[in-house]
Amino acid sequence: MREISSRFRADGVMQQTEVTFQSGPLRLAGTFTRPRGTSRVPVVITIVGSGPIDRNANGHAVQLDIFNELAEFLARCGVACFRYDKRGTGSSAGDFMSAGHSDLVNDATEAVRFVIRSFGAKLTSIILAGHSEGALIAPQVAQRAPGVGGLVLMCPFVRPFGDIVQDQIRRAEMEQVAGSGLGNWMSRQLLTRFDLAARRNARYLEQISRSAKDVMDVAGQPVNALWMREMMAISPVEVYSKVTVPTHIVGAGKDLQCPPQDIAGIKRAIPAPVTSRIFADLTHLLRSSAAPARFADYDTLMGQPVELDVLHNVAEWVLQTFAK
């Protein structure tokens, strides 16, 4: 993990405590980050996006450092934060590959109950902050766990998950053939004319939907089939239509995975008070880029810190809505 979050850390400002809590038979690990010198505080519980990533949104292939950055920034603003490792990642028990989306919702629900038990009278409000898939998990948890007072949805999506996957793969494959040369030109013509990427991956999704396995081999790679089936079965519009708490949406104008155009549909679906902010140059990684958005730039973007304006925006909304 990069040490970029030290730009917010100060010993006299915050304290961090490593804890564990139970979710069914599994023991999950997390971190409380609290401001020093305060008695009653709002607590933000963070929920990471998809893939085998830990409490900070870090994994083998990605080092995003999203929620440790957010936690330490919030602490400087007088807001506590609880972040935890997804099952089968970091220091948490369990097997990530066999986990379904519903398992992740259950884990996040238990995290809320744990925070309520841990903070007791020192807790003023609970706000769930989810990124990507976490933005779909958060409203489901709010329906299950009494005590959730608000939601922050970062880079959310509202279209069916299968469509989101198809669009991402189509973009990625078009990038691969965007170079110069006759071979790349021919590949572009084939992909554009016959939509080969979409057809091939539609077959993969169909194989997964017909399977009853938790994990299956697709094109030579192990795939979390249970998770994929559950994601394809969810109606995001229906999930958002049941939100009853104040909600703030953070959108990324250059998001290649959860397009900012979806935010208008989410706002229409949510019956509760909702605000939003779309950052024009922000990418799905919560880093900004002046260049056109490309998956190929992700490695470079991960070397940058989380966009400071995003951290300010989230903290400001939490304080204006929930600070007593």
Side-chain angles (χ1 to χ4, degrees):
M1 182 177 69
R2 301 188 313 277
E3 289 300 325
I4 57 174
S5 62
S6 61
R7 60 184 173 146
F8 305 131
R9 185 178 294 119
D11 292 342
V13 174
M14 70 189 73
Q15 60 182 25
Q16 299 204 91
T17 308
E18 300 300 309
V19 297
T20 61
F21 66 99
Q22 206 71 22
S23 181
L26 300 180
R27 186 165 291 276
L28 307 183
T31 304
F32 274 124
T33 304
R34 317 183 195 202
R36 292 185 185 273
T38 56
S39 54
R40 303 182 71 240
V41 293
V43 180
V44 172
I45 301 175
T46 60
I47 308 173
V48 299
S50 59
I53 53 178
D54 64 14
R55 70 192 78 178
N56 299 325
N58 293 338
H60 177 70
V62 296
Q63 295 288 311
L64 297 183
D65 280 320
I66 291 174
F67 288 125
N68 48 323
E69 288 254 316
L70 178 62
E72 292 172 11
F73 187 86
L74 288 172
R76 293 182 64 87
C77 298
V79 178
C81 185
F82 179 64
R83 61 194 196 275
Y84 63 94
D85 292 332
K86 192 183 296 188
R87 59 171 62 195
T89 74
S91 299
S92 287
D95 175 30
F96 168 79
M97 284 300 293
S98 61
H101 177 78
S102 58
D103 293 318
L104 305 180
V105 173
N106 290 338
D107 293 344
T109 302
E110 292 304 322
V112 173
R113 292 170 179 158
F114 172 69
V115 167
I116 292 173
R117 292 195 303 269
S118 300
F119 268 78
K122 295 182 179 180
L123 175 67
T124 61
S125 306
I126 289 180
I127 303 96
L128 303 182
H131 176 249
S132 196
E133 183 193 358
L136 187 63
I137 292 174
Q140 296 177 73
V141 174
Q143 297 165 29
R144 299 181 179 199
V148 175
L151 303 175
V152 176
L153 311 179
M154 308 167 78
C155 300
F157 63 93
V158 75
R159 287 177 297 153
F161 178 71
D163 294 348
I164 292 287
V165 172
Q166 290 284 69
D167 285 350
Q168 290 181 17
I169 292 173
R170 186 180 294 111
R171 283 177 179 270
E173 295 213 4
M174 288 301 294
E175 273 191 32
Q176 291 177 2
V177 298
S180 60
L182 179 61
N184 286 315
W185 180 85
M186 293 179 65
S187 297
R188 282 199 303 276
Q189 301 309 306
L190 288 169
L191 284 170
T192 302
R193 183 174 300 177
F194 299 109
D195 206 10
L196 298 182
R199 292 186 186 184
R200 181 171 62 252
N201 288 289
R203 290 198 300 271
Y204 294 158
L205 293 176
E206 180 62 24
Q207 292 174 20
I208 291 169
S209 66
R210 291 198 305 265
S211 172
K213 297 179 179 179
D214 291 349
V215 182
M216 60 183 292
D217 182 272
V218 175
Q221 297 293 327
V223 171
N224 186 331
L226 173 62
W227 177 82
M228 291 285 289
R229 286 195 300 274
E230 291 186 349
M231 287 293 288
M232 287 189 287
I234 288 177
S235 167
V237 171
E238 184 176 346
V239 169
Y240 294 127
S241 70
K242 297 177 181 178
V243 172
T244 60
V245 296
T247 300
H248 182 60
I249 302 173
V250 176
K254 294 182 178 178
D255 196 329
L256 297 176
Q257 296 172 246
C258 301
Q261 292 83 357
D262 278 21
I263 291 175
I266 296 171
K267 293 177 70 174
R268 286 193 298 269
I270 294 177
V274 56
T275 57
S276 65
R277 172 77 183 274
I278 298 177
F279 293 86
D281 284 337
L282 196 68
T283 66
H284 190 74
L285 306 188
L286 299 185
R287 276 77 169 170
S288 292
S289 173
R294 298 191 313 157
F295 286 115
D297 293 332
Y298 272 20
D299 283 344
T300 300
L301 289 170
M302 281 190 284
Q304 303 173 8
V306 173
E307 176 59 50
L308 187 58
D309 285 346
V310 170
L311 303 180
H312 271 291
N313 182 256
V314 172
E316 183 179 39
W317 182 81
V318 170
L319 290 170
Q320 289 181 348
T321 310
F322 297 100
K324 302 296 183 182

